[in-house]
Amino acid sequence: MSLLNREVFWPPADELIEVAERIRARLGDWPAAETRWRICLTAPESPKADDLIVFTEPHDADIDRLAKSGAALVEAHGGRVTLRRGEERFALEGEWSDDWLAALAAFLDCNFEPHDALTLALAWRAGDEKKDDAWPVDFATFPRVADLPAAPEGGFAPCTDRLGLYPVLPDAEWVERVLDLGVRTAQLRRKSTDASDLQREIARSVEAGRRHDAQLFINDHWREAIAAGAYGVHLGQEDVQTADLNAIAKAGLRLGLSTHGYYEMLRALHFRPSYLALGAVFPTTTKVMPTKPQGLARLGRYVQLLSGRVPLVAIGGIDAKVMPDVLATGVGSAAVVRAVTEAVDAAAAVSSLQQMFARQR
């Protein structure tokens, strides 16, 4: 867990490494960092792929040359911080403490990706290491994600604070079957490019949702969901760029958004969604994930930060075996896929999972 005896800052900065060491010691036990990032306080002649080059003043450095080396670049001045990593840009605005670079080194050592480590570092405040719980949990200190389009006026229609058991299902037959078993939150994730098939499956699922007075979300296909009068839609981070959020909100549909860490949570909250999905908690084979599994420790911290601010759904690799640990974080809902659709006895599986939620109340 020690940052000492390795090159964390370049050029070497004894005072920074001492502060970083103190902060890291108060953050708890986290998996070893997969990348040993080197925070460069000035641009090196020969940057490396695991360099994170920081500029805290306006500069005339050849950004394109540095970026082509594979290094990540951070420009922090004027109340704005921009991280450039390959073709990706992460822009944040707000205030930060003088210790933010030391905090950045500490959170990178906790195995957070640079954009999430940066988000946490900007939320860090001098003296936090003296608290009983040093982890940043005060939402007011977190930065804002910059350069986002305006959120729909009035936000999205709300849903219940605790959505409970949330099966994600492949077709309308499964939706009907699960709702008949007493589940009141479900999602249709129909993997089809056939327009008539989508329309038919969505319409049938929406009707089942109405019949059971259930919270039935449609994954991705927001146009068809609006046309069918669905309760809500669930979108990924990439879909926010292409979906007409104003049309979804105007139609009165709820919106759930996927997130995979601190930066994406802040980005999603800007659009005032009906709930946030946090994941993937564990490895999953149901879809290709853009990030590594979050794990229970991170999930617990996300819930601690966001509980009461927006309904939360844990998702990714969750089954009956791990469900008690997931619910112990305080999250009000957990999405499951194979735990229901691949169960030998779906009715028994649903009943057992529902009982776990009942014991949580």
Side-chain angles (χ1 to χ4, degrees):
M1 196 170 72
S2 175
L3 297 172
L4 300 177
N5 301 318
R6 59 187 177 87
E7 192 175 44
V8 177
F9 294 98
W10 184 89
D14 291 344
E15 185 175 346
L16 274 177
I17 195 67
E18 288 174 8
V19 177
E21 179 76 3
R22 287 201 303 270
I23 294 173
R24 179 65 187 88
R26 297 288 291 120
L27 296 181
D29 188 17
W30 293 86
E34 295 175 10
T35 301
R36 295 298 192 184
W37 292 96
R38 180 178 72 161
I39 299 176
C40 299
L41 307 176
T42 187
E45 283 295 323
S46 301
K48 306 172 185 176
D50 55 359
D51 281 346
L52 203 159
I53 306 170
V54 178
F55 299 95
T56 57
E57 300 289 344
H59 59 87
D60 57 3
D62 188 346
I63 293 295
D64 288 336
R65 179 187 70 82
L66 295 173
K68 287 178 182 177
S69 71
L73 309 175
V74 174
E75 297 180 85
H77 46 81
R80 180 185 176 94
V81 181
T82 302
L83 167 66
R84 174 173 173 175
R85 192 179 181 194
E87 297 300 318
E88 295 183 291
R89 301 288 190 281
F90 305 90
L92 294 160
E93 294 179 339
E95 300 177 358
W96 51 84
S97 77
D98 292 340
D99 290 341
W100 76 277
L101 278 172
L104 176 60
F107 288 115
L108 286 170
D109 194 66
C110 293
N111 203 30
F112 282 86
E113 289 295 313
H115 55 283
D116 283 329
L118 179 61
T119 302
L120 286 164
L122 298 180
W124 180 266
R125 293 294 178 265
D128 278 359
E129 72 274 14
K130 298 176 183 178
K131 297 179 180 178
D132 290 339
D133 182 2
W135 199 267
V137 293
D138 182 356
F139 193 84
T141 70
F142 276 74
R144 300 176 301 279
V145 176
D147 302 335
L148 295 176
E153 187 174 349
F156 291 88
C159 53
T160 56
D161 184 54
R162 305 182 78 83
L163 279 70
L165 180 63
Y166 188 167
V168 178
L169 306 162
D171 56 42
E173 183 177 352
W174 263 111
V175 170
E176 292 171 340
R177 185 178 177 186
V178 165
L179 295 186
D180 284 343
L181 293 171
V183 171
R184 288 298 171 261
T185 304
Q187 180 186 136
L188 173 68
R189 183 193 284 168
R190 185 65 173 172
K191 298 179 180 180
S192 173
T193 57
D194 185 324
S196 60
D197 173 79
L198 283 173
Q199 184 178 16
R200 181 173 58 254
E201 290 289 314
I202 289 173
R204 183 176 166 186
S205 297
V206 168
E207 174 55 33
R210 288 201 191 104
R211 192 163 60 248
H212 290 279
D213 194 23
Q215 302 173 124
L216 192 282
F217 292 86
I218 306 301
N219 185 272
D220 287 350
H221 303 291
W222 58 271
R223 294 183 183 86
E224 293 82 355
I226 290 175
Y231 178 86
V233 295
H234 180 93
L235 300 177
Q237 285 278 316
E238 65 284 354
D239 299 317
V240 173
Q241 304 290 344
T242 57
D244 188 340
L245 299 186
N246 285 296
I248 296 170
K250 187 176 179 180
L253 275 66
R254 282 77 176 169
L255 175 67
L257 289 177
S258 294
T259 66
H260 311 90
Y262 281 100
Y263 183 90
E264 290 191 1
M265 289 189 299
L266 296 180
R267 183 174 183 268
L269 284 174
H270 165 80
F271 298 104
R272 291 179 283 178
S274 307
Y275 74 79
L276 291 187
L278 311 173
V281 181
F282 303 105
T284 176
T285 60
T286 59
K287 63 184 297 187
V288 177
M289 298 305 300
T291 58
K292 59 196 172 192
Q294 301 291 308
L296 287 169
R298 293 194 189 194
L299 175 62
R301 287 302 185 180
Y302 301 157
V303 172
Q304 191 175 10
L305 178 66
L306 299 177
S307 182
R309 189 168 294 274
V310 63
L312 302 172
V313 179
I315 189 169
I318 299 173
D319 57 20
K321 182 178 179 181
V322 299
M323 184 66 81
D325 294 329
V326 170
L327 296 183
T329 67
V331 72
S333 178
V336 296
V337 183
R338 291 177 297 161
V340 170
T341 60
E342 295 184 11
V344 175
D345 185 336
V350 167
S351 177
S352 176
L353 291 166
Q354 291 280 52
Q355 289 174 27
M356 295 180 192
F357 279 89
R359 288 194 291 270
Q360 184 194 33
R361 297 193 187 103

